[in-house]
Amino acid sequence: METNKTFTMIKPDAVANGHIGAILDHITKGGFKITALKYTYLSPEKAGEFYAVHKERPFYADLVKFMSSGPIVAAILEKENAVADFRTLIGATDPSKAEAGTIRALFAKSIDANAVHGSDSDENAAIEGSFFFSAFEKF
Ligand code: GDP
């Protein structure tokens, strides 16, 4: 299992608000190398599949609706200790609780429209990266 990769999405709110460039800049200045990158859209079906682990949670329907409300940017990132370091860079799920200077503190408005996704384990980073990218698209 690789420990130097994580997966991220810039969510529909951050894309719609024009933050793609600023967030990618924050990520690269944070020491992450982008090894795959895609501007794309999740249909409700695909968003439901991506977040299947949250199927039983009360916010699942809202989450699927929000994630399919507009285009997103998907990326695989490389850095030593990638998963934990990226979660530190993005801050808490609820932006009102995110530390100052984190991506969610800077660019997110609410717990559902929280600007970015970050994988929570090495295993999920690999699964999520392969959800969006073929072997030919990972560098
Ligand atoms: P993350 O790993 O920090 O993204 O958080 P989770 O894996 O726990 O949840 C996945 C996503 O579901 C979050 O990024 C939020 O967009 C959304 N979410 C989590 N908790 C809530 C909640 O209580 N209400 C709503 N509306 N959305 C939530």
Side-chain angles (χ1 to χ4, degrees), residues 4-6 8 27 32-34 75-79 82 86:
N4 65 339
K5 296 269 170 58
T6 192
T8 188
I27 288 171
F32 292 84
K33 185 177 157 199
I34 295 168
I76 297 175
L77 308 175
E78 184 179 297
K79 183 185 186 293
F86 191 66

Side-chain angles (χ1 to χ4, degrees), residues 11 51 54 57 59 63 87 93 104 111-112 114 117-118:
K11 295 188 179 185
Y51 282 109
H54 293 310
R57 310 278 285 274
F59 57 83
L63 177 60
R87 292 195 67 93
T93 307
R104 281 170 169 162
I111 192 165
D112 46 336
N114 63 359
H117 167 81

Side-chain angles (χ1 to χ4, degrees), residues 52-67:
V53 357
H54 293 310
K55 214 172 188 136
E56 306 307 326
R57 310 278 285 274
F59 57 83
Y60 177 73
D62 285 343
L63 177 60
V64 168
K65 194 170 168 195
F66 168 66
M67 288 304 297

Side-chain angles (χ1 to χ4, degrees), residues 108-122:
K109 302 258 182 303
S110 65
I111 192 165
D112 46 336
N114 63 359
V116 280
H117 167 81
S119 303
D120 63 3
S121 66
D122 292 332

